[in-house]
Amino acid sequence: MRTQVAIIGAGPAGLLLGQLLYEAGIEAVILERRTPDHVLGRIRAGVLEQGTVDILDLAGVGERLHSEALIHGGVEIGTGGRRHRIAFKDLVGKVVTVYGQTEVTRDLMDARAACGAPSIYEAESVELHDLTSARPWVRFVHQGIEQRLDCDFIAGCDGYHGVSRRSIPAEALSAFERVYPFGWLGVLADVPPAWDELIYADSERGFALASMRSEKRIRCYVQCSLDDKVEHWSDARFWEEFKRRVGEDVAARMTVGPSIEKSIAPLRSFVVEPMRYGQLFLAGDAAHIVPPTGAKGLNLAASDVFYLHEALAGYYRGKPREVLDQYSGRALRRVWQAVRFSWWMTSLLHRFPGEDPFFGRIRGSELQYLFQSESSQKALAENYVGLPL
Ligand code: APR
Ligand code: PHB
């Protein structure tokens, strides 16, 4: 087989890149290790920056989002039984869109099926070859048969555990990482939210987040220890702990329900530089991971593939190869801004096990400053709604 761009991974990054390239008249084949149902079964975040919504519109997949998504003009930050609303609209004139990543992925999968562009699911043993030559190629096994895909470029959209980043010689990459000493236990339940906007709550017992997918489905998290297991947490235990952290008024009025999904996610900050090796370009979780506190993971995947599609479209329209050389630096400038913000939000809202008492006071003081200073609230708001593309 031959194509212009081989895309490894059919998560949000790979699918969105595929649609952007299709709209630009550039051929691409997507190779995905799992089945469509497995990809759709992953429950992730659900807050979209305006820039991400614009990119989804550019890819031609915004219709259902615009009819079903919720628009939020702010979030609430809680600590010590008090809550303060960060009013995005008043502070920076922007809003965020609440629409689950699963729905974004479903819309992208439907659009790709509708346009007939090729995606190969259950592609096993993917290997990337001749990355620094003018003719890279991909080997994979599909339905037991070994296949070869020749291409001009490879887009590594295969996430943190994918094969793309691992195909780059270690000496060609610099990795930056911070692993946080706690995780998030998340629950999805089909009950109406007892909150209008997201609540990020710092409490003596640890962090909690009250979010939602729709007017009928909530997504709630509690900070948990690294050695916690999902089986340690019955629904009853989760809801009791969530209520003790999120605030008495919310606890008193909220309804709970059986978990339809329950999982623990570790928290890490991770970036590799550069996001390119020869004809291989990394995008999304393949290149970086952020703790979910800033809701940046999906939004960074979107901005990466927006920049990558612009670079590839420029190249195929005859621009000098420099347009490809600019991708990594352009993407990383935005990546590091989001990594910083996600690290800051995580450090602000979580009590770290064995925390230095000095840092505990700094954290409390930072929260106090946030509550009293419009400048501090503006800084949080402009990062949360998304810095300009
Ligand atoms: N071969 C083919 N496909 C692979 C391989 C491989 N060797 N390894 C991984 N994949 C696939 C995975 O099955 C997955 O569907 O690549 C896809 C990567 O998707 P994501 O991990 O969702 O990463 P990305 O598309 O960058 O989206 C980032 O997803 O994980 C969340 O928080 C993250 O919201 C962010 C978003
Ligand atoms: C979610 O709804 O899953 C969600 C929202 C905001 C975050 C993290 C997760 O910061």
Side-chain angles (χ1 to χ4, degrees), residues 48-197:
L48 307 182
E49 299 171 359
Q50 185 56 49
T52 300
V53 172
D54 296 342
I55 295 167
L56 291 169
D57 282 336
L58 181 66
V61 296
E63 187 181 345
R64 189 162 72 101
L65 177 154
H66 289 297
S67 68
E68 295 181 13
L70 305 174
I71 302 298
H72 284 193
V75 294
E76 292 198 356
I77 307 285
T79 184
R82 294 178 300 127
R83 283 203 305 277
H84 186 92
R85 180 171 186 260
I86 308 296
F88 302 146
K89 194 84 174 139
D90 305 338
L91 290 161
V92 296
K94 289 186 179 179
V95 295
V96 292
T97 298
V98 173
Y99 190 66
Q101 176 170 312
T102 303
E103 304 318 313
V104 172
T105 305
R106 193 190 313 279
D107 293 342
L108 286 163
M109 287 166 73
D110 291 347
R112 190 157 186 86
C115 72
S119 300
I120 298 173
Y121 285 87
E122 298 181 272
E124 299 169 348
S125 310
V126 169
E127 292 173 2
L128 312 186
H129 294 278
D130 296 347
L131 294 177
T132 55
S133 80
R135 305 183 66 77
W137 57 282
V138 181
R139 173 197 176 279
F140 64 98
V141 175
H142 187 235
Q143 293 171 345
I145 299 169
E146 185 168 313
Q147 306 276 355
R148 172 176 171 134
L149 175 61
D150 289 291
C151 52
D152 299 332
F153 302 105
I154 300 173
C157 301
D158 46 350
Y160 182 71
H161 301 288
V163 66
S164 297
R165 190 179 68 250
R166 285 189 281 111
S167 301
I168 301 174
E171 61 273 14
L173 285 180
S174 299
F176 304 84
E177 184 167 36
R178 165 149 190 171
V179 178
Y180 297 90
F182 42 77
W184 278 17
L185 168 62
V187 160
L188 205 58
D190 279 336
V191 290
W195 43 87
D196 298 326
E197 296 171 330

Side-chain angles (χ1 to χ4, degrees), residues 279-333:
Q279 314 314 334
L280 169 63
F281 296 87
L282 301 179
D285 275 15
H288 42 71
I289 294 286
V290 285
T293 329
K296 290 300 168 201
L298 177 55
N299 292 296
L300 275 183
S303 51
D304 285 351
V305 300
F306 173 73
Y307 295 146
L308 183 52
H309 119 274
E310 280 204 328
L312 291 167
Y315 169 76
Y316 281 112
R317 289 192 189 118
K319 285 187 181 174
R321 284 190 73 89
E322 285 66 38
V323 72
L324 295 167
D325 301 340
Q326 291 162 0
Y327 163 70
S328 176
R330 188 182 184 198
L332 280 168
R333 277 191 292 280

Side-chain angles (χ1 to χ4, degrees), residues 182-249:
F182 42 77
W184 278 17
L185 168 62
V187 160
L188 205 58
D190 279 336
V191 290
W195 43 87
D196 298 326
E197 296 171 330
L198 275 59
I199 300 172
Y200 289 81
D202 157 61
S203 83
E204 291 290 338
R205 302 177 63 85
F207 173 79
L209 170 61
S211 183
M212 77 275 272
R213 290 289 175 272
S214 68
E215 301 289 6
K216 299 191 174 99
R217 177 169 286 187
I218 58 175
R219 178 64 168 173
C220 299
Y221 300 90
V222 296
Q223 172 185 351
C224 61
S225 66
L226 280 179
D227 53 14
D228 244 321
K229 301 267 187 294
V230 173
E231 46 271 23
H232 296 162
W233 290 83
S234 66
D235 285 5
R237 182 187 173 198
F238 176 85
W239 292 122
E240 183 195 348
E241 188 60 38
F242 178 79
K243 286 183 174 183
R244 296 176 75 167
R245 299 188 188 188
V246 73
E248 286 176 5
D249 59 331

